[in-house]
Amino acid sequence: MKVLKFGGSSIGDADKIRNVIGIVKSSIQKNKKIVLIFSAFYEVTDNLLKMSQKASEGNLVYEELFKKLEEKHISIAKELLAVKTQSSILAQLKLYLNELEDVLHGVFLVKEISPRTQDFILSFGERLSTYIISHILIDQNIACEFLDSRSLVKTDESFGTAKVEFNKTYDNIRTYFNKHKKLQVITGFIGSTDNNETTTLGRGGSDYTASIFAAALNAKEIEIWTDVDGVHTADPRKVKKAFPLKGLSYEEAMELSHFGAKVIHPPTMHPALDKKIPIRIKNTFNRDFKGTVINGHADRNNFQIKAISSIDDISLITIQGGGMVGVTGIAQRIFSALGAKQINIILITQASSEHSLCIAVMPKAAALAKKALQQEFYYEIKEKLIYDPVVETNLSIIAIVGENMRKTPGISGRIFQAMGKNGINIIAIAQGSSELNISAVISGNDETKALNALHDAFFLSITKTVNLYVVGTGLVGGTLLKQIANQTDYLAKEYLLNIKIIALANSKKMIFDSNSIDPSNWKEKLQREGYKTNLNSFIREMKKLNLPNSIFIDCTASDEVASRYKEILDSSISVVTPNKRANSGSFEYYQQLKQSALNHNVKFLYETNVGAGLPIISTLTDLVTSGDEILKIEGVMSGTLSYIFTSFTNDKTFSQIVKEAQEKGFTEPDPREDLNGMDVARKLLILARETGFSLELKNIKVENLVPLPARNAKSTKEFFIKLKKHDREFETKRKNAEAKGNVLRYIASLRNGKAKISLQEVNETHPFYSLSESDNIFALYTRQYKDRPIVVKGPGAGADVTASGVFADILRISNYLS
Ligand code: ADP
Ligand code: ASP
Ligand code: MG
């Protein structure tokens, strides 16, 4: 015999019920005998709760909710029942519904609902659904009988989560089944007391009913039919990468469901375990898939853990004080005080100092629990041996479950690492003594992020995902997206790195897609679906999504965007940027950004701030962190000025060369922005700070190459006219240099904390003598590289190399991820 249970998710509408009837028919053909258990139709129990609540508040909205519920049942019955049987069944349904309406009206009048009445109201969900389905089956020539489980399942009087009296219940079931040989179609979830008052077995309790009937009847297997392919490594609604498990042990299933995996109701495992009956979770919408089997074996797979689950709203009560240290029986007293009030303790942890104890409970029990503890420890609180208990709310519990954990060291380390790298603070942590589970209490806002980060860490440690938020889609941003598009497949295949672009913004439009924006056609998508850019809402949305391994990429040159980095890093999101504005702003802000990244375990990378894609900042920081001492840094740090002076030979005047550079697009639209040296100054400032000097921009001595009269020219045209008048001065400088066999270079240098930028002559032996086109060059003189410096040379500007550098920073962060 097999017991088949269909949950509300499988019987949401007429089509889904048709599908279930198909499964029932094929099961009848395959098995000698089956028993069917049904939940209420989809969301009906929730709605019954809602309407009782409204009625008890004296709110007439309950009537509307009731009407909707009535309509849902009648329309399903009408659609699926044969016309000839319809009228008698509808008449019976009407009777049920009238009774329900009467009770609700009563609640409305007295403005109060007792747990007993609540259970009675809830029982209509299962009674209506099962009654309708049993008649649909009869209509389709399946000989069966409707069975209201209240007549057999006996419980105590704990309405809401009644305890089953197994001996009586099993006897009742066996006696009944001895007499009734037809297929039984049974209501899940409900039972009754010895006085025949209706009780319910706790939310999700239809699974339990199935297990109770299976145990009573010594069934061969229990099939729980639901809307997913089995028990997954995490709730597939919260973790997209979760995958179904082949099998797990009863204990593992119990732990998982206790900690929130709603796919199976926790007590379901007990009767099944007693009788060693396997429970198979199957998908009504993918019926050929084998699903997950829960039985006596912990199926040994290759992973360190089985699954991760979470409870999304708990309260934590902390009780602490010196009076607890070394005193025996405190935990015992807490348990009994809370037990006496029927408060379910989800988790309890004690600091090794014994100074404090944390207890997690459901939020609705928190106030009562606090009161119970205040009463129990009245004397100790009065004597200040123990502080008044403190309640924290809006927390979640994450539980990592699996029998493989027992013998595997390093699990907690991995949990801490995955959470830490995503800036998730662990408020309390507990390990079950069986080592079957480790649970952590965290802020409710971090739940999905924690689930995904842990899932990646334990199941997909080989595949990493980074989530990118790109602001600025101009030359550099656009090129970066192109490069990502070209490399996505390669990185996924060779490096098991999954790059997702979650959001894009340019100055006009922005767009979010948590499934990832295809980098090969982002333009169309942004054009089509984008909405008006607003930096505040971009940042707000990014924080709200709270995805693990998030990187904010600023490809703008904007001060406004740069001013938001701190807030972004503080939200545990890494920042990568070629934008120099933040690092060359105030030293205080620069330091704050470093500290925020450190505090939140994220990265702030900006290799492209200096020398575009050339590895300058990383080389410098590697030298500094490995203990080398930087003696001097010299460089030609502007591609534009490099071009101007390498092209400045005897056949052209200085202004002609500047003009030529402007025409080739090597300068800013107004070349004065290059010639004034401020861009180089910002770069030198960043290098100085990286070396350890707390300089400000004003501390850098800059030789401004724009001749004084040309500085306030009103237009670039006027600027060129004025510049021309100074060609002779530049020519003299060039000739003087040439006479000595030297060339002119615009050199930035840092020595003993002094930063200066000036036009200098260098001779043939100098590393900067032979430079071509717009190359940058950097010479790092250190204690270890004193006589012959480390020289880095190459193109120091351009969209391609800059975007590559940004991409390299993204990959650097990805490598750091676990
Ligand atoms: P039913 O109505 O069939 O009883 P439920 O909604 O009670 O269905 O349970 C199925 C749901 O459980 C799934 O849709 C899924 O979102 C949720 N769930 C939570 N954790 C898990 C998990 N680890 N594996 C599978 N499903 C899970
Ligand atoms: N209908 C009940 C509930 O929603 C029982 C169940 O679905 O298992 O809680
Ligand atoms: Mg369920």
Side-chain angles (χ1 to χ4, degrees):
M1 172 195 281
K2 258 192 193 177
V3 176
L4 280 67
K5 176 257 164 176
F6 294 90
S9 63
S10 300
I11 48 175
D13 56 36
D15 275 343
K16 289 184 178 165
I17 297 170
R18 275 194 200 98
N19 179 43
V20 164
I21 305 279
I23 295 172
V24 170
K25 283 183 178 166
S26 85
S27 187
I28 291 174
Q29 276 172 4
K30 278 191 230 142
N31 299 291
K32 241 174 51 215
K33 198 165 165 68
I34 64 167
V35 170
L36 297 176
I37 316 278
F38 286 96
S39 297
F41 290 150
Y42 184 59
E43 288 182 339
V44 164
T45 311
D46 286 342
N47 289 327
L48 285 167
L49 272 174
K50 231 182 266 166
M51 62 187 87
S52 333
Q53 178 66 30
K54 292 289 172 205
S56 72
E57 290 163 3
N59 186 337
L60 272 171
V61 166
Y62 90 87
E63 284 185 342
E64 276 166 44
L65 295 170
F66 171 78
K67 283 276 167 273
K68 276 200 195 127
L69 182 111
E70 181 174 54
E71 255 166 55
K72 177 171 184 145
H73 287 88
I74 304 274
S75 79
I76 289 181
K78 281 191 176 158
E79 191 170 342
L80 295 176
L81 286 166
V83 182
K84 62 178 176 8
T85 44
Q86 257 186 34
S87 58
S88 65
I89 312 299
L90 289 176
Q92 179 58 41
L93 283 180
K94 257 296 187 208
L95 286 180
Y96 280 138
L97 289 160
N98 286 346
E99 191 185 358
L100 171 60
E101 196 176 13
D102 286 347
V103 187
L104 286 166
H105 187 61
V107 171
F108 171 75
L109 290 178
V110 297
K111 288 205 178 63
E112 156 173 285
I113 188 162
S114 67
R116 196 174 80 179
T117 311
Q118 180 70 84
D119 272 3
F120 183 62
I121 292 175
L122 293 187
S123 75
F124 282 91
E126 278 43 35
R127 285 155 64 200
L128 288 163
S129 66
T130 311
Y131 179 75
I132 296 172
I133 293 173
S134 68
H135 284 281
I136 300 170
L137 289 167
I138 295 170
D139 263 0
Q140 304 203 13
N141 295 325
I142 297 168
C144 65
E145 284 171 352
F146 166 64
L147 170 55
D148 184 336
S149 56
R150 288 178 301 171
S151 60
L152 306 180
V153 177
K154 286 292 161 191
T155 71
D156 71 358
E157 292 187 347
S158 336
F159 298 98
T161 39
K163 310 236 163 0
V164 174
E165 293 177 4
F166 284 101
N167 291 340
K168 274 190 211 159
T169 303
Y170 286 173
D171 281 350
N172 289 346
I173 294 175
R174 286 178 194 132
T175 316
Y176 187 89
F177 272 75
N178 276 336
K179 291 202 199 113
H180 295 80
K181 297 294 176 194
K182 274 190 190 162
L183 166 59
Q184 297 297 314
V185 186
I186 310 168
T187 55
F189 184 49
I190 55 179
S192 68
T193 63
D194 285 344
N195 297 330
N196 293 326
E197 286 161 333
T198 301
T199 53
T200 61
L201 308 181
R203 290 304 308 271
S206 297
D207 301 333
Y208 194 18
T209 310
S211 175
I212 293 166
F213 275 84
L217 299 169
N218 279 319
K220 178 168 97 221
E221 190 170 79
I222 304 163
E223 284 180 0
I224 305 283
W225 288 84
T226 182
D227 63 347
V228 282
D229 274 340
V231 178
H232 283 57
T233 45
D235 184 346
R237 282 183 218 194
K238 294 178 181 158
V239 178
K240 291 210 179 80
K241 287 189 229 160
F243 53 88
L245 294 163
K246 269 203 197 122
L248 62 168
S249 69
Y250 294 113
E251 289 80 7
E252 287 173 330
M254 254 183 271
E255 292 288 328
L256 271 183
S257 59
H258 175 72
F259 283 103
K262 159 170 185 247
V263 64
I264 185 125
H265 184 56
T268 309
M269 267 57 72
H270 291 291
L273 169 63
D274 260 2
K275 293 285 173 73
K276 306 265 176 303
I277 306 170
I279 306 170
R280 190 174 286 279
I281 317 282
K282 285 188 61 96
N283 190 349
T284 28
F285 309 107
N286 185 15
R287 58 171 98 162
D288 296 327
F289 189 78
K290 269 185 135 17
T292 304
V293 66
I294 301 170
N295 57 19
H297 330 285
D299 166 60
R300 303 253 168 235
N301 57 21
N302 293 327
F303 297 109
Q304 289 179 319
I305 66 164
K306 260 302 160 44
I308 307 163
S309 59
S310 62
I311 305 179
D312 61 12
D313 191 10
I314 60 124
S315 297
L316 194 71
I317 306 176
T318 304
I319 168 155
Q320 60 181 326
M324 290 165 62
V325 183
V327 181
T328 51
I330 297 262
Q332 172 59 34
R333 282 173 64 195
I334 292 177
F335 278 122
S336 15
L338 299 184
K341 298 272 187 264
Q342 313 255 333
I343 295 165
N344 182 25
I345 301 177
I346 305 167
L347 165 150
I348 182 158
T349 79
Q350 179 165 33
S352 57
S353 67
E354 295 185 12
H355 186 264
S356 74
L357 248 157
C358 297
I359 306 136
V361 297
M362 295 312 277
K364 62 175 191 275
L368 185 62
K370 179 174 175 173
K371 211 161 144 208
L373 293 172
Q374 282 170 329
Q375 277 163 4
E376 175 64 35
F377 294 101
Y378 176 78
Y379 165 75
E380 286 90 343
I381 294 172
K382 198 167 141 237
E383 294 300 314
K384 300 203 164 38
L385 296 168
I386 290 180
Y387 299 111
D388 204 27
V390 177
V391 179
E392 283 171 273
T393 53
N394 186 23
L395 302 174
S396 287
I397 294 187
I398 307 276
I400 317 272
V401 173
E403 299 206 355
N404 281 2
M405 277 161 54
R406 272 195 194 121
K407 46 179 183 30
T408 319
I411 305 268
S412 306
R414 218 161 169 176
I415 297 174
F416 283 117
Q417 199 185 35
M419 303 260 225
K421 281 188 179 169
N422 283 288
I424 301 162
N425 182 32
I426 300 179
I427 299 165
I429 187 154
Q431 175 163 34
S433 55
S434 60
E435 281 191 50
L436 195 62
N437 115 49
I438 295 178
S439 28
V441 179
I442 58 170
S443 156
N445 302 334
D446 285 333
E447 181 186 326
T448 311
K449 180 161 149 182
L451 284 172
N452 281 281
L454 289 169
H455 197 271
D456 268 7
F458 283 101
F459 294 108
L460 305 154
S461 49
I462 24 176
T463 307
K464 298 172 197 163
T465 299
V466 285
N467 297 302
L468 309 187
Y469 299 83
V470 184
V471 173
T473 58
L475 263 183
V476 174
T479 311
L480 173 69
L481 290 166
K482 207 184 302 159
Q483 292 177 353
I484 292 177
N486 290 340
Q487 288 302 96
T488 306
D489 289 346
Y490 172 77
L491 289 171
K493 211 162 133 240
E494 299 295 323
Y495 290 89
L496 301 164
L497 177 66
N498 186 7
I499 297 193
K500 281 187 171 184
I501 297 163
I502 306 297
L504 284 179
N506 58 26
S507 55
K508 294 191 188 74
K509 287 187 165 189
M510 63 186 216
I511 187 175
F512 275 79
D513 182 347
S514 57
N515 288 321
S516 180
I517 298 160
D518 179 356
S520 51
N521 64 6
W522 63 270
K523 264 191 199 140
E524 295 75 12
K525 194 170 161 97
L526 186 63
Q527 194 51 37
R528 212 176 43 240
E529 297 166 32
Y531 43 98
K532 196 171 177 310
T533 292
N534 175 322
L535 186 61
N536 283 335
S537 46
F538 188 93
I539 293 174
R540 199 176 323 116
E541 180 68 14
M542 176 170 77
K543 286 199 219 165
K544 200 166 103 208
L545 278 174
N546 202 7
L547 296 174
N549 308 335
S550 292
I551 310 178
F552 177 81
I553 297 157
D554 172 16
C555 294
T556 71
S558 144
D559 273 319
E560 191 197 354
V561 180
S563 72
R564 306 297 289 271
Y565 295 171
K566 176 160 186 332
E567 176 189 354
I568 295 169
L569 294 165
D570 283 341
S571 314
S572 301
I573 296 168
S574 293
V575 174
V576 168
T577 185
N579 180 357
K580 291 186 278 290
R581 309 304 291 197
N583 286 328
S584 59
S586 76
F587 182 72
E588 191 190 352
Y589 188 52
Y590 166 84
Q591 250 187 338
Q592 281 174 354
L593 296 179
K594 296 243 150 183
Q595 196 57 46
S596 288
L598 204 65
N599 290 351
H600 294 90
N601 258 312
V602 287
K603 297 276 171 191
F604 172 38
L605 298 184
Y606 40 83
E607 179 60 85
T608 47
N609 274 192
V610 183
L614 298 176
I616 310 303
I617 293 182
S618 52
T619 308
L620 189 60
T621 41
D622 282 351
L623 290 169
V624 173
T625 42
S626 64
D628 201 353
E629 188 188 344
I630 310 294
L631 305 175
K632 183 168 80 161
I633 298 175
E634 268 187 349
V636 172
M637 303 186 187
S638 151
T640 314
L641 295 173
S642 171
Y643 174 85
I644 289 173
F645 289 103
T646 52
S647 316
F648 191 24
T649 45
N650 61 5
D651 53 348
K652 281 181 195 140
T653 65
F654 187 71
S655 62
Q656 270 172 340
I657 286 163
V658 176
K659 186 82 194 139
E660 198 179 285
Q662 188 206 32
E663 280 159 8
K664 284 190 174 169
F666 286 179
T667 68
E668 294 297 324
D670 184 340
R672 280 174 290 185
E673 285 180 35
D674 298 294
L675 292 172
N676 70 13
M678 285 323 288
D679 182 60
V680 176
R682 286 184 182 276
K683 291 175 182 166
L684 184 62
L685 177 66
I686 295 170
L687 293 184
R689 288 175 173 178
E690 293 297 304
T691 312
F693 296 105
S694 43
L695 297 190
E696 298 288 356
L697 200 53
K698 63 174 192 284
N699 302 129
I700 296 180
K701 270 173 81 182
V702 188
E703 178 181 346
N704 187 338
L705 296 179
V706 185
L708 256 177
R711 287 187 197 168
N712 45 18
K714 302 252 167 2
S715 63
T716 38
K717 199 169 159 211
E718 190 191 328
F719 156 72
F720 274 111
I721 296 169
K722 291 192 166 164
L723 180 66
K724 211 164 180 295
K725 297 194 178 134
H726 296 267
D727 275 343
R728 190 181 288 256
E729 287 161 32
F730 283 100
E731 188 55 25
T732 312
K733 281 191 188 167
R734 191 191 67 75
K735 279 208 172 123
N736 285 346
E738 195 181 46
K740 289 177 248 162
N742 294 348
V743 289
L744 292 175
R745 297 288 179 252
Y746 190 63
I747 295 177
S749 72
L750 174 78
R751 187 178 209 159
N752 299 329
K754 300 251 173 323
K756 106 174 182 226
I757 301 163
S758 59
L759 193 60
Q760 294 174 30
E761 286 182 20
V762 297
N763 67 26
E764 217 172 2
T765 60
H766 194 281
F768 299 176
Y769 183 85
S770 46
L771 262 187
S772 43
E773 283 262 331
S774 59
D775 278 1
N776 278 16
I777 187 161
F778 298 83
L780 309 178
Y781 297 81
T782 73
R783 199 167 13 85
Q784 285 166 31
Y785 297 92
K786 196 157 50 204
D787 303 325
R788 282 171 303 124
I790 295 185
V791 174
V792 182
K793 176 173 153 188
D800 279 322
V801 287
T802 308
S804 299
V806 173
F807 201 175
D809 275 348
I810 296 171
L811 297 178
R812 223 164 269 147
I813 295 181
S814 313
N815 285 338
Y816 155 86
L817 299 172
S818 51

